[in-house]
C-alpha cells in the first residue's frame, strides 16, 4: 500500500491537549474532576459545544447552554470561562514532522473549531499559527462549513478535495470518537497521546523519517 496523504486534527495533535488546561481550571475552582470533558461528551452530536462548533448558536447562547448542561452533571461551568482554555502550545516536533510529510505527500487538516469572533482577541484564525496552516494542501474548519467531526461527510469532503483514496490515507486525532469514521472509510488511524508516540506511528505508516 502506498500512502498518498496524511490528514491531521489540529488541537491536541499539532498542539498540546486542552484537557490539561481543563484539569487545572477545575482544580483551581474546586470543581468536580472532568466536569468540562463530561459536559463535552454528553450528547456529543447535539450539545452546546457541537452546536457552537457548527456556528449554529452565538456565544451568549453557548455560554448559557453549557452552564445548564454542566449543572445537570453536577456543577455549573460558564461556557465563556471554558473558551480561553482551548489554546494549546504548538508541538515543535509535530510541526517538523508535518514539514517533512508535506515534502513527499499530500496534507490536510480537519478541525472542529469555533466561529471567528468566539474568543475575543483570540479570533478563530489566531487560534492557529499561520505558518503551520500553510503547510496543508487543504483545511476544513467546522465553523465555516457547518459540519463537524465525527460526521462522516467531513472526512469524505477532505478525500474528494485532495483527490485521494481513503485507503491510502493516514488520519491523526486525539479523540477516539473522531477516528472511528476515518477508520471505517479505510484510513490508517493514529490516536495521538504525545508527539513522540504519534511520530513513531507516522513513521511506521508512511516509511518516512520524520525527526
Amino acid at each position: 500500500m502506498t500512502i498518498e496523504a496524511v490528514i491531521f486534527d489540529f488541537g491536541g495533535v499539532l498542539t498540546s491537549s486542552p484537557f490539561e488546561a481543563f484539569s487545572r481550571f477545575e482544580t483551581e475552582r474546586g470543581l468536580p474532576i472532568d466536569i468540562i470533558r463530561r459536559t463535552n461528551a454528553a450528547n456529543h452530536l447535539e450539545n452546546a459545544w457541537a452546536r457552537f462548533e457548527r456556528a449554529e448558536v452565538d456565544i451568549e447562547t453557548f455560554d448559557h447552554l453549557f452552564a445548564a448542561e454542566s449543572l445537570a452533571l453536577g456543577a455549573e461551568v460558564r461556557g465563556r470561562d471554558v473558551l480561553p482554555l482551548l489554546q494549546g502550545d504548538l508541538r515543535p516536533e509535530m510541526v517538523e514532522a508535518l514539514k517533512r510529510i508535506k515534502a513527499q505527500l499530500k496534507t490536510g487538516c480537519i478541525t472542529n473549531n469555533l466561529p471567528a469572533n468566539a474568543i475575543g482577541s483570540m479570533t478563530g484564525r489566531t487560534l492557529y499559527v499561520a505558518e503551520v496552516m500553510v503547510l496543508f494542501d487543504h483545511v476544513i474548519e467546522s465553523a465555516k462549513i457547518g459540519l463537524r467531526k465525527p460526521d462522516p461527510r467531513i472526512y469524505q469532503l477532505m478525500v474528494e478535495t485532495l483527490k485521494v483514496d481513503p485507503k491510502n490515507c493516514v488520519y491523526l486525532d486525539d479523540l477516539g470518537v473522531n477516528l472511528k469514521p476515518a477508520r471505517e472509510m479505510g484510513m490508517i488511524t493514529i490516536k495521538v497521546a504525545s508527539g513522540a508516540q504519534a511520530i513513531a506511528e507516522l513513521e511506521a505508516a508512511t516509511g518516512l523519517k520524520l525527526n
Side-chain angles (χ1 to χ4, degrees), residues 11 31 34 38 42 64 69 77 87 93 114 139 167 198 202:
L31 294 164
D34 281 345
R38 286 190 288 116
H64 291 293
E69 290 172 0
V77 182
Q87 189 174 31
E93 71 277 22
L114 303 174
V139 177
K167 294 182 178 60
L202 262 175

Side-chain angles (χ1 to χ4, degrees), residues 116-147:
N117 61 350
I119 317 179
S121 62
M122 279 173 24
T123 61
R125 182 52 66 180
T126 59
L127 279 172
Y128 313 109
V129 178
E131 64 198 48
V132 174
M133 299 311 273
V134 299
L135 297 172
F136 297 112
D137 294 309
H138 188 58
V139 177
I140 296 179
E141 301 177 63
S142 65
K144 288 190 174 179
I145 67 167
L147 285 177

Side-chain angles (χ1 to χ4, degrees), residues 84-156:
L85 307 175
L86 295 176
Q87 189 174 31
D89 298 319
L90 275 175
R91 288 171 164 157
E93 71 277 22
M94 289 297 290
V95 176
E96 177 61 27
L98 171 57
K99 289 177 179 176
R100 295 187 183 204
I101 290 165
K102 167 76 171 174
Q104 303 285 332
L105 306 170
K106 293 181 179 179
T107 55
C109 178
I110 304 175
T111 177
N112 284 353
N113 67 342
L114 303 174
N117 61 350
I119 317 179
S121 62
M122 279 173 24
T123 61
R125 182 52 66 180
T126 59
L127 279 172
Y128 313 109
V129 178
E131 64 198 48
V132 174
M133 299 311 273
V134 299
L135 297 172
F136 297 112
D137 294 309
H138 188 58
V139 177
I140 296 179
E141 301 177 63
S142 65
K144 288 190 174 179
I145 67 167
L147 285 177
R148 71 191 284 275
K149 299 174 293 186
D151 190 317
R153 292 175 292 175
I154 205 167
Y155 307 85
Q156 188 61 40

Side-chain angles (χ1 to χ4, degrees), residues 24-81:
R24 286 195 301 271
F25 178 87
E26 289 160 353
T27 300
E28 289 165 3
R29 302 289 182 98
L31 294 164
I33 297 219
D34 281 345
I35 184 71
I36 297 173
R37 291 179 70 174
R38 286 190 288 116
T39 304
N40 289 346
N43 189 25
H44 71 93
L45 297 180
E46 294 299 333
N47 63 13
W49 202 269
R51 294 174 66 191
F52 200 30
E53 287 184 332
R54 291 194 298 257
E56 293 173 0
V57 297
D58 62 17
I59 190 168
E60 296 295 337
T61 306
F62 168 73
D63 180 51
H64 291 293
L65 288 174
F66 195 91
E69 290 172 0
S70 57
L71 184 59
L73 294 176
E76 183 179 274
V77 182
R78 303 302 306 196
R80 279 184 182 276
D81 291 341

Side-chain angles (χ1 to χ4, degrees), residues 1 165-169 180-189:
M1 182 182 67
D165 185 331
K167 294 182 178 60
N168 298 334
C169 296
K180 186 179 178 186
R183 191 162 51 246
E184 289 175 347
M185 290 174 70
M187 295 188 199
I188 295 171
T189 58

